[in-house]
């Protein structure tokens, strides 16, 4: 039994209506998309088809380990991040600050007052209120449900709701990244109160939101269909595009071929090796922004003991020719970087230890650490070979090629690395469980440069994303000190010290930044892209296909 019921609208009303009117919803969706492609009809304000690289594990924004593009269309946060990395209000009327009185320092920590936008309703017509903010905090902190990350919620002592549109969040300590606390939105109290959220499949597969779209259908392994909600709070004229179909196409070549053929209309995060072949497609516009993220190899110190020796980690860093990767496989579309905070950020520190390509230095460090070449060319120590497995996303040709190149470069210094390809959905749960040796992937970072979640010793999953399982007391103290410093100038100094310490420790092998290339219809207006992990669908409500 579902906890709520929303009437579904007929997807077949706009395109090829007479042919589809008698079909079921699932058949109508597939036939609608196929009919559009056969007729040569491109994207329209009736239907936009997105070629997406993976299927979500859940549509619960707090529980997902995958980029939240689909969820962003349905569930709105109190704030969002715009195309210039500015944190801007969404369901809140303003972003609380010390200057506007929304943030007040206390003896214990700080109080943050969120003023909610009046007139906003959940898709079932129930008002969105401060009670939902309080319920969200309580549900996460109660302890019987483990979201993808607690992301500062464990710093909250409680929430007061003096009226239906005011939520006063009490922090046990200073917490500088507070502005993004509710970027993932809130949970509907009237739907989830008293329930086991992990088992609330009606919500997790079709979340109740306040956004411009709602889930019409999720057909496992094939697609998620979204339809515009009636009476969206921004106005009845929004969203401009009435239906969006996210088609799951895990293979990059298939995804790009379908885009070129007009079978899908939009592909977010175009793989860098596919950019050149799309430049000649007249129906497509490539929207490019410098990403606030980085590609790297995570080294799991808990799983593979040799990674606990910093000399081994430094040796592996010296063994990789990053410039070669960028010039060849990546077609010079990205830039070699040296840490987790990117040049876009006000906290970026360029002056850190670097590890240029130097196989001789790599070999010397491994010798120093006691790893001597064996008869098969693989180094060994105390009877154990220096051999591990790297996992990365299957169907992602760039990553497969990068992994193979790194594999050869490691072999040249006596390190054996196998490669295991895992589909995009499963790899997310794998990294969360920590059941891997090493992983090639990226972190798309938020606008706030908080990196405590990635490197503090106590921020391993589910408390954070420290999947290197790095345990450094000095770095952990420094990171928490930066979190507790609201003054941006002073906080930047602390974060720069933290970046220098991370570079010394080499918990992961940093490769290059993430240039974000989104292939969108040439006729699409209002698309702006986004450098952060907010993703390109942050302003989907105002997208519109221009009339010829």
């Amino acid at each position: 039994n579902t906890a709520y019921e929303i009437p579904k609208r007929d997807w077949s009303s706009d395109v090829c209506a007479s042919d589809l009117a008698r079909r079921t919803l699932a058949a109508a969706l597939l036939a609608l998309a196929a009919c559009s492609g056969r007729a040569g009809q491109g994207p329209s304000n009736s239907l936009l088809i997105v070629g997406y690289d993976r299927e979500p594990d859940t549509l619960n924004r707090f529980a997902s380990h995958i980029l939240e593009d689909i969820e962003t269309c349905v569930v709105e946060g109190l704030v969002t991040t715009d195309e210039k990395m500015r944190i801007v209000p969404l369901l809140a009327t303003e972003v609380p600050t010390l200057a506007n009185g929304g943030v007040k320092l206390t003896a214990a920590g700080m109080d943050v007052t969120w003023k909610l936008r009046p007139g906003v309703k959940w898709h079932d017509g129930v008002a969105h209120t401060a009670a939902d903010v309080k319920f969200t905090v309580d549900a996460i902190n109660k302890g019987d449900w483990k979201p993808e990350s607690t992301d500062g919620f464990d710093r909250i002592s409680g929430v007061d709701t003096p009226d239906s549109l005011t939520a006063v969040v009490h922090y046990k300590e200073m917490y500088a990244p507070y502005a993004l606390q509710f970027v993932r939105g809130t949970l509907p109290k009237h739907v989830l109160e008293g329930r086991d959220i992990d088992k609330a499949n009606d919500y997790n597969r079709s979340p109740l939101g306040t956004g411009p779209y709602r889930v019409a259908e999720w057909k496992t392994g094939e697609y998620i269909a979204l339809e515009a909600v009636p009476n969206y709070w921004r106005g009845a004229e929004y969203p401009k595009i009435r239906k969006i179909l996210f088609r799951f196409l895990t293979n990059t070549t298939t995804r790009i071929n379908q885009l070129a053929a007009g079978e899908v209309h939009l592909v977010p995060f175009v793989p860098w090796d596919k950019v050149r072949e799309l430049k000649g497609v007249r129906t497509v516009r490539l929207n490019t922004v410098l990403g606030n993220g980085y590609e790297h190899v995570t080294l799991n110190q808990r799983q593979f003991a040799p990674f606990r020796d910093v000399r081994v980690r430094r040796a592996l860093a010296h063994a990789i020719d990053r410039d070669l990767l960028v010039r060849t496989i990546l077609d010079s579309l990205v830039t070699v970087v040296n840490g987790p905070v990117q040049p876009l950020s006000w906290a970026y520190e360029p002056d850190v230890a670097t590890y240029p390509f130097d196989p001789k230095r790599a070999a010397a460090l491994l010798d120093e650490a006691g790893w001597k070449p064996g008869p098969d060319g693989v180094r060994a120590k105390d009877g154990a070979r220096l051999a591990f497995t790297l996992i990365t996303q299957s169907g992602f040709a760039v990553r497969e090629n990068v992994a193979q190149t790194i594999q050869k470069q490691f072999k040249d210094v006596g390190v054996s690395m196998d490669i295991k390809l895992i589909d995009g959905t499963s790899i997310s749960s794998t990294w969360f469980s920590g059941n891997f040796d090493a992983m090639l992937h990226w972190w798309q970072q938020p606008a706030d440069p908080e990196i405590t979640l990635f490197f503090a010793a106590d921020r391993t999953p589910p408390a954070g994303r420290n999947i290197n399982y790095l345990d450094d007391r000095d770095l952990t103290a420094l990171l928490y000190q930066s979190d507790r410093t609201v003054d941006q100038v002073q906080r930047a100094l602390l974060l720069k010290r933290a970046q220098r310490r991370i570079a010394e420790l080499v918990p992961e092998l940093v490769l290059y930044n993430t240039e974000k290339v989104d292939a969108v219809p040439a006729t699409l207006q209002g698309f702006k892209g986004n450098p952060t992990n907010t993703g390109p669908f942050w302003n989907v409500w105002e997208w519109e296909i221009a009339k010829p």
Side-chain angles (χ1 to χ4, degrees):
N1 295 326
T2 59
Y4 52 88
E5 187 68 30
I6 302 174
K8 303 297 184 185
R9 292 189 298 168
D10 182 10
W11 273 72
S12 62
S13 59
D14 296 303
V15 181
C16 303
S18 61
D19 180 52
L20 302 178
R22 295 181 299 276
R23 302 174 188 264
T24 64
L25 176 62
L29 284 168
L30 293 177
L32 179 61
C35 179
S36 175
R38 286 197 307 270
Q41 296 183 15
S44 70
N45 289 323
S46 297
L47 176 66
L48 180 71
I49 305 173
V50 179
Y52 208 61
D53 73 331
R54 72 192 79 178
E55 182 171 8
D57 46 353
T58 174
L59 290 182
N60 185 324
R61 289 191 78 177
F62 288 98
S64 179
H65 307 305
I66 294 175
L67 290 173
E68 305 164 36
D69 296 324
I70 300 173
E71 294 93 324
T72 296
C73 300
V74 178
V75 178
E76 297 173 314
L78 300 193
V79 299
T80 189
T81 307
D82 70 10
E83 77 280 11
K84 295 182 179 179
M85 274 182 61
R86 297 174 298 199
I87 300 172
V88 295
L90 186 50
L91 295 187
T93 58
E94 64 181 2
V95 179
T97 64
L98 285 166
N100 64 24
V103 176
K104 294 184 178 179
L105 307 184
T106 66
M110 61 192 295
D111 292 343
V112 178
T113 298
W114 291 96
K115 292 289 188 179
L116 304 185
R117 189 179 299 276
V120 175
K121 295 181 179 180
W122 297 100
H123 292 160
D124 62 357
V126 175
H128 175 260
T129 71
D132 298 308
V133 177
K134 176 176 172 56
F135 173 77
T136 302
V137 173
D138 292 344
I140 291 173
N141 286 343
K142 193 166 54 173
D144 57 350
W145 171 53
K146 296 297 184 185
E148 189 266 343
S149 176
T150 54
D151 281 31
F153 284 93
D154 55 351
R155 323 272 184 103
I156 298 174
S157 60
V159 179
D160 288 334
T161 55
D163 59 63
S164 64
L165 295 177
T166 305
V168 183
V169 181
H170 304 288
Y171 285 86
K172 294 179 280 189
E173 60 187 36
M174 300 283 288
Y175 184 58
Y178 70 88
L180 288 174
Q181 188 72 73
F182 299 98
V183 70
R184 292 186 177 185
T186 58
L187 299 168
K189 177 181 178 181
H190 67 287
V191 168
L192 295 174
E193 187 174 28
R195 302 179 64 192
D196 182 340
I197 296 177
D198 282 325
K199 296 179 181 178
N201 288 333
D202 56 305
Y203 178 83
N204 294 330
R205 287 187 66 85
S206 183
L208 193 67
T210 63
Y213 294 93
R214 62 190 181 193
V215 177
E217 186 178 17
W218 180 350
K219 188 167 185 181
T220 301
E222 294 188 29
Y223 60 79
I224 287 177
L226 304 182
E227 60 184 357
V229 298
N231 304 316
Y232 177 47
W233 62 265
R234 290 185 186 271
E237 68 273 27
Y238 299 113
K240 302 286 189 178
I241 298 172
R242 307 312 295 171
K243 298 146 191 171
I244 301 180
L245 180 70
F246 286 83
R247 182 179 288 167
F248 308 137
L249 301 169
T250 58
N251 184 277
T252 54
T253 300
T254 301
R255 204 157 61 249
I256 298 307
N257 286 346
Q258 288 200 15
L259 176 68
E263 296 175 42
V264 301
H265 306 138
L266 186 153
V267 171
F269 303 117
V270 173
W272 298 302
D273 63 331
K274 300 295 183 183
V275 169
R276 184 173 294 185
E277 63 189 83
L278 285 177
K279 287 184 176 179
V281 179
R282 292 186 304 104
T283 57
V284 171
R285 182 176 78 251
L286 297 178
N287 189 89
T288 303
V289 296
L290 179 61
N292 190 42
Y294 66 110
E295 188 91 358
H296 61 284
V297 176
T298 287
L299 303 174
N300 186 339
Q301 297 181 37
R302 184 185 72 174
Q303 184 86 353
F304 189 64
F307 290 157
R308 296 170 197 160
D309 189 330
V310 70
R311 294 169 297 183
V312 172
R313 303 195 300 270
R314 289 172 178 168
L316 295 178
H318 278 300
I320 300 175
D321 189 345
R322 299 181 296 168
D323 290 326
L324 176 67
L325 296 176
V326 168
R327 287 196 317 271
T328 57
I329 300 172
L330 301 163
D331 205 14
S332 297
L333 289 171
V334 296
T335 304
V336 168
V337 293
N338 298 301
V341 178
Q342 300 308 299
L344 286 173
S345 174
W346 49 264
Y348 172 65
E349 171 56 89
D351 187 16
V352 299
T354 59
Y355 302 88
F357 178 54
D358 189 343
K360 290 183 179 179
R361 178 60 180 152
L365 283 166
L366 292 172
D367 286 338
E368 182 184 326
W371 293 95
K372 306 299 182 181
D376 61 352
V378 177
R379 292 175 180 270
K381 177 180 178 181
D382 300 329
R385 298 167 75 245
L386 190 51
F388 63 93
T389 298
L390 176 138
I391 64 172
T392 196
Q393 184 180 341
S394 63
F396 199 147
V398 166
R399 284 201 177 127
E400 292 179 20
N401 292 334
V402 168
Q404 290 166 6
T405 303
I406 291 175
Q407 180 185 48
K408 181 184 182 303
Q409 292 172 349
F410 283 172
K411 183 180 179 182
D412 290 343
V413 297
V415 178
S416 175
M417 184 186 82
D418 290 332
I419 300 170
K420 181 178 181 181
L421 303 178
I422 302 178
D423 70 86
T425 302
S426 299
I427 200 171
S428 299
S429 57
T430 300
W431 73 250
F432 190 71
S433 68
N435 187 27
F436 67 96
D437 298 336
M439 179 168 66
L440 174 63
H441 66 125
W442 62 26
W443 288 132
Q444 299 289 351
Q445 303 283 57
D448 189 281
E450 180 193 21
I451 52 177
T452 306
L453 293 169
F454 300 91
F455 299 104
D458 60 344
R459 290 292 164 177
T460 57
R465 300 176 185 84
N466 179 5
I467 56 174
N468 301 294
Y469 293 88
L470 175 67
D471 186 356
D472 184 79
R473 181 180 302 177
D474 292 340
L475 176 61
T476 299
L478 189 57
L479 290 170
Y480 276 107
Q481 187 181 357
S482 72
D483 285 353
R484 295 166 182 146
T485 303
V486 175
D487 180 85
Q488 190 176 99
V489 173
Q490 293 302 312
R491 187 174 173 222
L493 293 175
L494 293 168
L495 285 167
K496 289 180 178 184
R497 285 176 55 194
Q499 290 168 73
R500 292 194 291 270
R501 179 63 178 161
I502 290 168
E504 293 169 3
L505 294 170
V506 200
E508 57 195 12
L509 308 177
V510 180
L511 301 177
Y512 38 81
N513 67 352
T514 56
E515 186 89 353
K516 289 188 173 183
V517 182
D518 301 305
V520 304
T523 53
L524 180 62
Q525 298 177 337
F527 185 94
K528 299 174 181 177
N530 199 295
T532 75
N533 62 347
T534 299
F537 291 83
W538 71 276
N539 69 325
V540 68
W541 59 274
E542 62 180 346
W543 294 2
E544 184 175 14
I545 301 296
K547 294 182 175 66

